[in-house]
Amino acid sequence: MNGTQPESFPPEGKNGRPYGPDIAMIGSGTFAELFRQGMALLRRNYRLIAAIMVISMVVSVVLTMLDTPRYTAVTSVQINDQSEQVLGDELENANEVNVAADVDRFLNTQVDILRSRGLAQRVAQRLTLFTDDQFFAATEVDVPDSTVSEAARREKVLSLLHDNMMVNLPRNSRIVELQFSSANPRLSAEIVNTFAEEFIQANLKRRFDSSAYARNFIAEQLEEARVRLESSERELNAYAREAGLIRTRNVASDEDNSSAGSSITTSSLMQINEAANRAKADRIEAEGRWLSEKAVPPLSSHTVLANPTVQNLMTKRSELATAYDAAKERYLPDHPSVLQAAAELRTVNAQLAQVVQNVRDSVKAEYDAAVAAEQRLQAQVNELQGATLAEQDLAVRYNTLAREADTNRSLYEGLLQRYRELNAAAGIANSNLAIIDRADAPLKPSSPRLFVNLAIAMVMGGLLAVVVVFIRSQLDDAVRVPEDVEEQIGLPLLGVVPLADEDESPSEALAQPKSAISEAYGSLRGALLYSTRSGLPTLLQVTSTLRDEGKSTTSSATASGFARMGRRTLLLDSDMRRPSVHRLIGYDNRRGLSSLLVSNDDVASAIVPSGQENLDLLPSGPIPPSPTELLTSPRMAQLMNELADKYDVVIIDSPPVLGLADAPAIAALADGVMFVVEAERCKRGALKAALKRLQAVNSILLGAVLTKFDPDKAGNRYSEYYGYNYYRYGADDEVA
């Protein structure tokens, strides 16, 4: 064995890409990838899924055949809006608005009436179902015996009617479908038609009872209202004569908030007060103009400047001033032209001052007139206010009596109008319900329906199968795909060996250089060459968790491959319980590793040529009583050192790890351990336990090899990456 053990090295090359299939490329998280994984899961469990589906369909067929045929009769009823008119026009309009705004609630109320206990009781009484034993037989219920009370029998009948009756209200429709199912088609049709008829009759009866009650009630209220109206009118007139009040009243008008109207004094006060308010507004406006006029110089006032005469005089003054200035510049001050221009300018200024004063006086006159008008109107308002206040004291009682009379009059007129309408409509019963289609006795049973039940069974079976497969996949922790190697056991993936075809053995596939298995082991050899920092380990142990995982095939294929590469290779069979290497060349295994461990013979005495260049075999030799004692002896370590000095690589085919102490003992002597994992067999718990035993002896775990991997079963992407179909392209071409 080498003096220093090589360090563990991940199976990546210098550029960081793995040797063999691109795991990162496989592990995409797209939806398509999830779909492929799901399809792979279904393919792995298709037998279980098919079994669940078949069982579901068989159960459905059996239950369908055992079920009693039932017949469903259908009747359709149209439901229209119709408000009950009992308390007059205003409430009638309000009811119509409410029904129009809440049609769904109205229709649902009618549906609840169809499902009500009262309607079911009317149907049972009309058809005498309480004493009809045929009804119990049609609903597949045992006929109550004589010990059952009459009340219990009635409750049973009503419960059966409710349970077998179905009311369906389609969306955006006023036509309700009534369905009743039983084993008797004639009885189903009779019951559902009776439900529709009794529904209409019950509705008409409610309307008639409500109308009769309304007529009697309104007649009584009308007489009482008439008496109250006469009494209130007499009292109102008597008080008006006694107080000497003259009121203007318009009973039919609602414009005045006071139903008692208003007096002449009040009307005059309102008119004079309105005129006084307008006069006050005019005075305030005139006062504002006068104050504005006083606050500014005469020729700065807007009112003065807006006067046309002022504008003309100012224009003329400007022209004369210009002429005067021109004359002064041309002549001496005492020249007649200068004196004339000065005289004309003084005349215009005097005229302008007079016009400005006249304009300001007119503004002041308007203000004085507005003040006088306001004072006169305010005096009249004050005079009428006193008269009105005196009259209001007398009108308090009058207004109270007038309001009472108006109220009684409105109530009497409304009741009288409604009473006339009810008398005119007495005996007329308009129903808002109508039967559209009456039910006939069904010719075909509505249940059981074989194809519907089969479809339901298929759906339920499919869902059950999905649940079972999902639970099974969650509970199943076996290593199935290459990604599971790193995810579940934490070892680098050295290679993936596909499952051999059914018509050939692994040894036959290895004999073909272009077979998928040969290519897989070729990829594995490439990964082993760079499995440590120092390259290929000299003492390479091959082990597995359990037996028959492809450990011996992997050992022989790897040894044969290194020999073909020109490396001096020894395949050592250290499995002294179930040896297999000697069978490769038909050796009788009379001498081997066990012979060397119990003696001091030379190593070369037990080595057997394999028939392949650069490859020798060291069989296990005769099976000893205690293999573990031999493998842990100092002689075993000595042999390993001798073999490491003599050969470039020694492939050690060792026993499985679990249940035996042999593999951990050999792992402590090897330069590296290659762990073989069979796809879809080993569980994560067993793998963890095996690796824990190897790590306990400080072994160097190079990585894992996934054997017997079925790419087609795992999914399409694995068929693409692990199919090794390169040589199939151009398979028909001749190779020179």
Side-chain angles (χ1 to χ4, degrees):
M1 186 172 59
N2 294 341
T4 59
Q5 293 184 349
E7 299 179 3
S8 178
F9 193 68
E12 288 89 16
K14 296 180 179 180
N15 57 357
R17 294 182 59 84
Y19 296 99
D22 191 347
I23 302 302
M25 187 175 180
I26 296 175
S28 61
T30 61
F31 174 78
E33 181 60 27
L34 295 177
F35 177 76
R36 296 191 193 100
Q37 293 178 4
M39 294 302 296
L41 186 64
L42 295 179
R43 280 193 293 269
R44 289 198 300 268
N45 298 274
Y46 72 93
R47 291 187 179 88
L48 176 61
I49 296 174
I52 295 176
M53 297 287 289
V54 170
I55 293 174
S56 301
M57 296 180 68
V58 170
V59 171
S60 175
V61 172
V62 171
L63 294 178
T64 301
M65 296 302 177
L66 295 177
D67 193 9
T68 302
R70 296 178 65 86
Y71 298 86
T72 301
V74 181
T75 294
S76 58
V77 177
Q78 181 178 354
I79 302 177
N80 296 321
D81 296 336
Q82 182 173 341
S83 304
E84 295 185 359
Q85 302 173 358
V86 177
L87 297 178
D89 294 338
E90 295 182 357
L91 292 180
E92 174 186 338
N93 295 335
N95 288 337
E96 292 178 354
V97 172
N98 290 336
V99 172
D102 202 3
V103 175
D104 290 340
R105 181 175 297 179
F106 170 75
L107 294 177
N108 291 329
T109 301
Q110 300 303 312
V111 171
D112 291 338
I113 294 175
L114 285 168
R115 295 171 178 165
S116 65
R117 174 186 173 88
L119 185 61
Q121 190 168 3
R122 291 172 63 96
V123 172
Q125 289 176 349
R126 178 175 172 181
L127 299 178
T128 64
L129 298 180
F130 294 122
T131 59
D132 189 0
D133 295 341
Q134 184 181 3
F135 172 72
F136 291 96
T139 53
E140 303 179 68
V141 176
D142 296 335
V143 179
D145 53 25
S146 57
T147 60
V148 178
S149 63
E150 182 179 355
R153 186 184 181 98
R154 292 172 63 88
E155 289 295 330
K156 187 64 176 178
V157 171
L158 296 178
S159 177
L160 291 174
L161 286 174
H162 181 272
D163 294 341
N164 293 278
M165 182 72 182
M166 181 179 297
V167 181
N168 181 26
L169 176 61
R171 187 176 181 84
N172 298 327
S173 175
R174 295 179 179 273
I175 298 180
V176 179
E177 290 186 353
L178 283 68
Q179 302 178 5
F180 190 86
S181 300
S182 70
N184 190 330
R186 181 193 59 80
L187 184 61
S188 296
E190 186 177 2
I191 289 177
V192 77
N193 286 331
T194 305
F195 261 101
E197 294 169 359
E198 289 299 321
F199 177 53
I200 296 176
Q201 291 298 325
N203 181 69
L204 292 176
K205 187 175 185 303
R206 286 194 305 272
R207 290 183 176 276
F208 179 80
D209 294 342
S210 176
S211 177
Y213 170 78
R215 290 197 305 273
N216 296 333
F217 175 77
I218 291 178
E220 296 175 358
Q221 297 297 318
L222 183 62
E223 179 62 22
E224 295 178 2
R226 184 186 64 80
V227 173
R228 288 196 302 268
L229 177 59
E230 291 180 357
S231 176
S232 60
E233 289 284 356
R234 289 193 185 98
E235 187 176 358
L236 177 64
N237 294 333
Y239 181 79
R241 283 195 299 270
E242 179 182 353
L245 296 176
I246 301 176
R247 312 290 288 187
T248 58
R249 300 177 64 248
N250 185 6
V251 179
S253 177
D254 295 333
E255 294 179 359
D256 191 358
N257 294 332
S258 175
S259 60
S262 60
S263 66
I264 297 176
T265 304
T266 303
S267 300
S268 300
L269 175 61
M270 294 177 62
Q271 295 176 2
I272 297 300
N273 186 64
E274 183 178 357
N277 291 334
R278 290 197 298 270
K280 183 178 181 180
D282 294 341
R283 190 266 303 167
I284 293 173
E285 182 181 359
E287 184 179 3
R289 289 198 302 271
W290 171 240
L291 293 177
S292 299
E293 190 69 26
K294 288 171 54 178
V296 296
L299 292 180
S300 298
S301 172
H302 293 288
T303 304
V304 174
L305 294 177
N307 188 277
T309 304
V310 174
Q311 294 176 357
N312 293 333
L313 291 174
M314 291 183 68
T315 302
K316 187 175 181 180
R317 186 183 67 173
S318 177
E319 294 174 354
L320 293 175
T322 303
Y324 175 71
D325 292 338
K328 285 174 61 178
E329 292 178 358
R330 187 173 184 181
Y331 303 105
L332 293 174
D334 55 351
H335 192 273
S337 297
V338 175
L339 295 176
Q340 183 181 358
E344 291 176 354
L345 182 59
R346 285 192 299 272
T347 302
V348 170
N349 286 332
Q351 293 176 354
L352 179 60
Q354 184 61 40
V355 172
V356 169
Q357 185 62 36
N358 293 338
V359 172
R360 292 169 68 90
D361 291 342
S362 66
V363 174
K364 180 64 169 60
E366 292 178 1
Y367 167 64
D368 293 338
V371 170
E374 179 187 7
Q375 291 175 351
R376 289 194 302 273
L377 290 173
Q378 188 61 41
Q380 296 180 12
V381 168
N382 295 335
E383 181 180 355
L384 289 174
Q385 280 180 347
T388 302
L389 291 175
E391 189 181 75
Q392 285 181 353
D393 294 337
L394 299 175
V396 173
R397 175 62 177 166
Y398 181 88
N399 291 337
T400 302
L401 296 175
R403 290 191 183 94
E404 183 178 356
D406 290 343
T407 302
N408 292 333
R409 184 180 297 104
S410 299
L411 180 60
Y412 177 78
E413 292 176 353
L415 291 173
L416 181 61
Q417 177 65 24
R418 188 61 188 149
Y419 184 72
R420 292 171 180 172
E421 293 175 357
L422 289 176
N423 284 335
I428 301 176
N430 293 327
S431 177
N432 62 329
L433 308 176
I435 298 177
I436 304 302
D437 293 322
R438 299 183 64 86
D440 296 327
L443 301 178
K444 296 181 180 180
S446 58
S447 66
R449 292 179 290 181
L450 179 59
F451 293 105
V452 174
N453 292 343
L454 285 176
I456 295 175
M458 291 180 63
V459 174
M460 299 301 295
L463 295 176
L464 179 61
V466 170
V467 172
V468 172
V469 169
F470 176 77
I471 295 176
R472 183 181 180 187
S473 65
Q474 295 300 312
L475 298 178
D476 185 10
D477 57 354
V479 176
R480 298 185 180 276
V481 294
E483 289 90 334
D484 294 343
V485 174
E486 294 186 0
E487 293 177 359
Q488 296 192 23
I489 63 178
L491 287 181
L493 182 64
L494 297 176
V496 179
V497 180
L499 182 67
D501 296 335
E502 296 180 356
D503 55 349
E504 65 177 358
S505 63
S507 59
E508 293 175 348
L510 287 172
Q512 302 176 13
K514 297 181 180 180
S515 66
I517 294 182
S518 297
E519 292 296 333
Y521 280 115
S523 177
L524 173 61
R525 289 193 302 274
L528 289 174
L529 290 174
Y530 301 96
S531 59
T532 67
R533 297 187 183 278
S534 59
L536 177 68
T538 302
L539 299 177
L540 177 61
Q541 179 190 6
V542 181
T543 186
S544 62
T545 304
L546 305 172
R547 51 179 291 186
D548 298 330
E549 292 192 56
K551 167 179 58 62
S552 297
T553 301
T554 300
S555 300
S556 61
T558 305
S560 177
F562 283 128
R564 287 195 300 271
M565 294 175 62
R567 295 176 179 266
R568 291 177 296 123
T569 307
L570 174 66
L571 176 58
L572 171 61
D573 189 354
S574 63
D575 190 352
M576 299 182 189
R577 303 175 190 272
R578 298 180 69 252
S580 60
V581 172
H582 64 281
R583 297 191 183 96
L584 297 177
I585 57 175
Y587 184 62
D588 57 6
N589 203 25
R590 65 180 182 276
R591 186 172 177 79
L593 178 61
S594 61
S595 304
L596 296 177
L597 292 176
V598 298
S599 66
N600 292 323
D601 296 343
D602 185 38
V603 175
S605 63
I607 293 177
V608 180
S610 66
Q612 179 181 348
E613 186 178 0
N614 295 326
L615 178 61
D616 294 334
L617 305 178
L618 179 56
S620 65
I623 299 177
S626 179
T628 304
E629 293 181 2
L630 295 180
L631 294 174
T632 56
S633 63
R635 176 62 175 165
M636 183 63 182
Q638 181 183 355
L639 289 176
M640 292 295 101
N641 288 329
E642 293 180 7
L643 293 175
D645 294 337
K646 186 175 181 180
Y647 290 94
D648 295 332
V649 56
V650 178
I651 307 298
I652 306 173
D653 183 9
S654 65
V657 177
L658 292 184
L660 303 173
D662 301 355
I666 299 173
L669 303 175
D671 296 335
V673 179
M674 182 169 61
F675 201 75
V676 176
V677 180
E678 181 180 349
E680 301 188 15
R681 180 186 178 188
C682 286
K683 307 298 182 182
R684 180 171 58 183
L687 290 170
K688 290 287 187 180
L691 294 176
K692 188 174 182 180
R693 294 192 63 189
L694 294 176
Q695 293 171 352
V697 298
N698 295 324
S699 60
I700 302 175
L701 296 174
L702 302 178
V705 180
L706 187 65
T707 60
K708 302 181 184 180
F709 175 65
D710 188 355
D712 296 329
K713 190 175 181 181
N716 294 334
R717 62 171 185 155
Y718 297 104
S719 299
E720 177 183 355
Y721 292 127
Y722 296 101
Y724 300 100
N725 296 326
Y726 177 78
Y727 285 107
R728 296 184 185 178
Y729 299 104
D732 299 333
D733 300 339
E734 295 184 359
V735 180

PDB file of all heavy atoms in Angstrom, residues 249-270:
ATOM      1  N   ARG A 249    -106.243  78.491   2.047  1.00  0.00           N
ATOM      2  CA  ARG A 249    -105.836  77.080   2.140  1.00  0.00           C
ATOM      3  C   ARG A 249    -106.080  76.404   0.808  1.00  0.00           C
ATOM      4  O   ARG A 249    -107.108  76.598   0.176  1.00  0.00           O
ATOM      5  CB  ARG A 249    -106.621  76.355   3.230  1.00  0.00           C
ATOM      6  CG  ARG A 249    -106.440  76.930   4.612  1.00  0.00           C
ATOM      7  CD  ARG A 249    -107.302  76.197   5.637  1.00  0.00           C
ATOM      8  NE  ARG A 249    -106.893  74.811   5.759  1.00  0.00           N
ATOM      9  CZ  ARG A 249    -107.640  73.788   5.365  1.00  0.00           C
ATOM     10  NH1 ARG A 249    -108.803  74.015   4.810  1.00  0.00           N
ATOM     11  NH2 ARG A 249    -107.222  72.552   5.526  1.00  0.00           N
ATOM     12  N   ASN A 250    -105.141  75.549   0.407  1.00  0.00           N
ATOM     13  CA  ASN A 250    -105.282  74.728  -0.794  1.00  0.00           C
ATOM     14  C   ASN A 250    -104.905  73.304  -0.409  1.00  0.00           C
ATOM     15  O   ASN A 250    -103.732  72.957  -0.342  1.00  0.00           O
ATOM     16  CB  ASN A 250    -104.373  75.240  -1.920  1.00  0.00           C
ATOM     17  CG  ASN A 250    -104.607  74.475  -3.225  1.00  0.00           C
ATOM     18  OD1 ASN A 250    -105.507  73.647  -3.307  1.00  0.00           O
ATOM     19  ND2 ASN A 250    -103.810  74.796  -4.230  1.00  0.00           N
ATOM     20  N   VAL A 251    -105.889  72.521  -0.117  1.00  0.00           N
ATOM     21  CA  VAL A 251    -105.639  71.179   0.422  1.00  0.00           C
ATOM     22  C   VAL A 251    -104.897  70.308  -0.569  1.00  0.00           C
ATOM     23  O   VAL A 251    -104.070  69.475  -0.208  1.00  0.00           O
ATOM     24  CB  VAL A 251    -106.975  70.526   0.830  1.00  0.00           C
ATOM     25  CG1 VAL A 251    -106.763  69.130   1.360  1.00  0.00           C
ATOM     26  CG2 VAL A 251    -107.675  71.391   1.860  1.00  0.00           C
ATOM     27  N   ALA A 252    -105.172  70.480  -1.847  1.00  0.00           N
ATOM     28  CA  ALA A 252    -104.546  69.610  -2.850  1.00  0.00           C
ATOM     29  C   ALA A 252    -103.117  69.979  -3.149  1.00  0.00           C
ATOM     30  O   ALA A 252    -102.423  69.289  -3.857  1.00  0.00           O
ATOM     31  CB  ALA A 252    -105.372  69.640  -4.142  1.00  0.00           C
ATOM     32  N   SER A 253    -102.664  71.123  -2.644  1.00  0.00           N
ATOM     33  CA  SER A 253    -101.303  71.591  -2.951  1.00  0.00           C
ATOM     34  C   SER A 253    -100.363  71.201  -1.839  1.00  0.00           C
ATOM     35  O   SER A 253    -100.678  71.303  -0.663  1.00  0.00           O
ATOM     36  CB  SER A 253    -101.296  73.114  -3.147  1.00  0.00           C
ATOM     37  OG  SER A 253     -99.980  73.557  -3.368  1.00  0.00           O
ATOM     38  N   ASP A 254     -99.176  70.798  -2.189  1.00  0.00           N
ATOM     39  CA  ASP A 254     -98.134  70.435  -1.226  1.00  0.00           C
ATOM     40  C   ASP A 254     -96.985  71.422  -1.226  1.00  0.00           C
ATOM     41  O   ASP A 254     -95.922  71.161  -0.682  1.00  0.00           O
ATOM     42  CB  ASP A 254     -97.585  69.028  -1.538  1.00  0.00           C
ATOM     43  CG  ASP A 254     -98.634  67.967  -1.345  1.00  0.00           C
ATOM     44  OD1 ASP A 254     -99.542  68.194  -0.528  1.00  0.00           O
ATOM     45  OD2 ASP A 254     -98.547  66.916  -2.016  1.00  0.00           O
ATOM     46  N   GLU A 255     -97.201  72.603  -1.868  1.00  0.00           N
ATOM     47  CA  GLU A 255     -96.091  73.539  -1.972  1.00  0.00           C
ATOM     48  C   GLU A 255     -95.785  74.170  -0.632  1.00  0.00           C
ATOM     49  O   GLU A 255     -94.638  74.461  -0.310  1.00  0.00           O
ATOM     50  CB  GLU A 255     -96.430  74.624  -2.996  1.00  0.00           C
ATOM     51  CG  GLU A 255     -96.547  74.073  -4.419  1.00  0.00           C
ATOM     52  CD  GLU A 255     -96.900  75.163  -5.389  1.00  0.00           C
ATOM     53  OE1 GLU A 255     -97.075  76.318  -4.948  1.00  0.00           O
ATOM     54  OE2 GLU A 255     -96.996  74.883  -6.593  1.00  0.00           O
ATOM     55  N   ASP A 256     -96.830  74.444   0.202  1.00  0.00           N
ATOM     56  CA  ASP A 256     -96.611  75.060   1.500  1.00  0.00           C
ATOM     57  C   ASP A 256     -96.419  73.977   2.527  1.00  0.00           C
ATOM     58  O   ASP A 256     -97.173  73.008   2.592  1.00  0.00           O
ATOM     59  CB  ASP A 256     -97.811  75.942   1.862  1.00  0.00           C
ATOM     60  CG  ASP A 256     -97.518  76.819   3.069  1.00  0.00           C
ATOM     61  OD1 ASP A 256     -96.412  76.714   3.641  1.00  0.00           O
ATOM     62  OD2 ASP A 256     -98.409  77.591   3.422  1.00  0.00           O
ATOM     63  N   ASN A 257     -95.405  74.129   3.349  1.00  0.00           N
ATOM     64  CA  ASN A 257     -95.133  73.140   4.373  1.00  0.00           C
ATOM     65  C   ASN A 257     -96.252  73.090   5.400  1.00  0.00           C
ATOM     66  O   ASN A 257     -96.474  72.069   6.041  1.00  0.00           O
ATOM     67  CB  ASN A 257     -93.794  73.423   5.073  1.00  0.00           C
ATOM     68  CG  ASN A 257     -92.626  73.253   4.121  1.00  0.00           C
ATOM     69  OD1 ASN A 257     -92.728  72.483   3.182  1.00  0.00           O
ATOM     70  ND2 ASN A 257     -91.556  73.978   4.365  1.00  0.00           N
ATOM     71  N   SER A 258     -96.948  74.194   5.625  1.00  0.00           N
ATOM     72  CA  SER A 258     -98.039  74.238   6.606  1.00  0.00           C
ATOM     73  C   SER A 258     -99.319  73.820   5.925  1.00  0.00           C
ATOM     74  O   SER A 258     -99.797  74.460   5.001  1.00  0.00           O
ATOM     75  CB  SER A 258     -98.168  75.648   7.203  1.00  0.00           C
ATOM     76  OG  SER A 258     -99.272  75.711   8.058  1.00  0.00           O
ATOM     77  N   SER A 259     -99.887  72.720   6.382  1.00  0.00           N
ATOM     78  CA  SER A 259    -101.133  72.240   5.781  1.00  0.00           C
ATOM     79  C   SER A 259    -102.299  73.161   6.080  1.00  0.00           C
ATOM     80  O   SER A 259    -103.354  73.072   5.468  1.00  0.00           O
ATOM     81  CB  SER A 259    -101.442  70.829   6.287  1.00  0.00           C
ATOM     82  OG  SER A 259    -101.574  70.844   7.692  1.00  0.00           O
ATOM     83  N   ALA A 260    -102.165  74.097   7.072  1.00  0.00           N
ATOM     84  CA  ALA A 260    -103.251  75.028   7.411  1.00  0.00           C
ATOM     85  C   ALA A 260    -103.279  76.250   6.518  1.00  0.00           C
ATOM     86  O   ALA A 260    -104.127  77.113   6.655  1.00  0.00           O
ATOM     87  CB  ALA A 260    -103.116  75.472   8.868  1.00  0.00           C
ATOM     88  N   GLY A 261    -102.348  76.425   5.575  1.00  0.00           N
ATOM     89  CA  GLY A 261    -102.321  77.570   4.692  1.00  0.00           C
ATOM     90  C   GLY A 261    -101.758  78.795   5.374  1.00  0.00           C
ATOM     91  O   GLY A 261    -101.092  78.733   6.399  1.00  0.00           O
ATOM     92  N   SER A 262    -102.059  80.025   4.838  1.00  0.00           N
ATOM     93  CA  SER A 262    -101.541  81.272   5.402  1.00  0.00           C
ATOM     94  C   SER A 262    -102.634  82.338   5.341  1.00  0.00           C
ATOM     95  O   SER A 262    -103.530  82.289   4.506  1.00  0.00           O
ATOM     96  CB  SER A 262    -100.306  81.746   4.630  1.00  0.00           C
ATOM     97  OG  SER A 262    -100.641  81.979   3.282  1.00  0.00           O
ATOM     98  N   SER A 263    -102.510  83.394   6.235  1.00  0.00           N
ATOM     99  CA  SER A 263    -103.496  84.478   6.283  1.00  0.00           C
ATOM    100  C   SER A 263    -103.103  85.596   5.327  1.00  0.00           C
ATOM    101  O   SER A 263    -101.982  85.640   4.818  1.00  0.00           O
ATOM    102  CB  SER A 263    -103.599  85.017   7.714  1.00  0.00           C
ATOM    103  OG  SER A 263    -102.375  85.636   8.075  1.00  0.00           O
ATOM    104  N   ILE A 264    -104.085  86.561   5.130  1.00  0.00           N
ATOM    105  CA  ILE A 264    -103.817  87.695   4.248  1.00  0.00           C
ATOM    106  C   ILE A 264    -102.726  88.573   4.846  1.00  0.00           C
ATOM    107  O   ILE A 264    -101.850  89.100   4.144  1.00  0.00           O
ATOM    108  CB  ILE A 264    -105.119  88.497   4.018  1.00  0.00           C
ATOM    109  CG1 ILE A 264    -106.144  87.615   3.293  1.00  0.00           C
ATOM    110  CG2 ILE A 264    -104.847  89.777   3.245  1.00  0.00           C
ATOM    111  CD1 ILE A 264    -107.488  88.278   3.100  1.00  0.00           C
ATOM    112  N   THR A 265    -102.750  88.764   6.169  1.00  0.00           N
ATOM    113  CA  THR A 265    -101.739  89.590   6.833  1.00  0.00           C
ATOM    114  C   THR A 265    -100.350  89.007   6.618  1.00  0.00           C
ATOM    115  O   THR A 265     -99.389  89.726   6.332  1.00  0.00           O
ATOM    116  CB  THR A 265    -102.044  89.689   8.326  1.00  0.00           C
ATOM    117  OG1 THR A 265    -103.378  90.195   8.498  1.00  0.00           O
ATOM    118  CG2 THR A 265    -101.065  90.599   9.024  1.00  0.00           C
ATOM    119  N   THR A 266    -100.234  87.698   6.755  1.00  0.00           N
ATOM    120  CA  THR A 266     -98.929  87.046   6.574  1.00  0.00           C
ATOM    121  C   THR A 266     -98.451  87.196   5.142  1.00  0.00           C
ATOM    122  O   THR A 266     -97.265  87.447   4.888  1.00  0.00           O
ATOM    123  CB  THR A 266     -99.020  85.565   6.965  1.00  0.00           C
ATOM    124  OG1 THR A 266     -99.489  85.458   8.312  1.00  0.00           O
ATOM    125  CG2 THR A 266     -97.682  84.886   6.838  1.00  0.00           C
ATOM    126  N   SER A 267     -99.376  87.047   4.164  1.00  0.00           N
ATOM    127  CA  SER A 267     -98.987  87.196   2.759  1.00  0.00           C
ATOM    128  C   SER A 267     -98.504  88.616   2.484  1.00  0.00           C
ATOM    129  O   SER A 267     -97.504  88.831   1.786  1.00  0.00           O
ATOM    130  CB  SER A 267    -100.175  86.851   1.855  1.00  0.00           C
ATOM    131  OG  SER A 267    -100.594  85.519   2.074  1.00  0.00           O
ATOM    132  N   SER A 268     -99.223  89.641   3.045  1.00  0.00           N
ATOM    133  CA  SER A 268     -98.801  91.027   2.839  1.00  0.00           C
ATOM    134  C   SER A 268     -97.440  91.273   3.465  1.00  0.00           C
ATOM    135  O   SER A 268     -96.575  91.957   2.893  1.00  0.00           O
ATOM    136  CB  SER A 268     -99.848  91.978   3.436  1.00  0.00           C
ATOM    137  OG  SER A 268    -101.106  91.791   2.819  1.00  0.00           O
ATOM    138  N   LEU A 269     -97.212  90.748   4.671  1.00  0.00           N
ATOM    139  CA  LEU A 269     -95.924  90.912   5.335  1.00  0.00           C
ATOM    140  C   LEU A 269     -94.788  90.320   4.500  1.00  0.00           C
ATOM    141  O   LEU A 269     -93.720  90.923   4.369  1.00  0.00           O
ATOM    142  CB  LEU A 269     -95.961  90.251   6.717  1.00  0.00           C
ATOM    143  CG  LEU A 269     -94.636  90.226   7.493  1.00  0.00           C
ATOM    144  CD1 LEU A 269     -94.139  91.648   7.760  1.00  0.00           C
ATOM    145  CD2 LEU A 269     -94.799  89.465   8.807  1.00  0.00           C
ATOM    146  N   MET A 270     -95.039  89.175   3.928  1.00  0.00           N
ATOM    147  CA  MET A 270     -93.994  88.532   3.123  1.00  0.00           C
ATOM    148  C   MET A 270     -93.675  89.377   1.891  1.00  0.00           C
ATOM    149  O   MET A 270     -92.505  89.546   1.531  1.00  0.00           O
ATOM    150  CB  MET A 270     -94.439  87.131   2.715  1.00  0.00           C
ATOM    151  CG  MET A 270     -94.584  86.162   3.900  1.00  0.00           C
ATOM    152  SD  MET A 270     -95.204  84.541   3.426  1.00  0.00           S
ATOM    153  CE  MET A 270     -93.888  84.025   2.345  1.00  0.00           C
TER     154      MET A 270
END
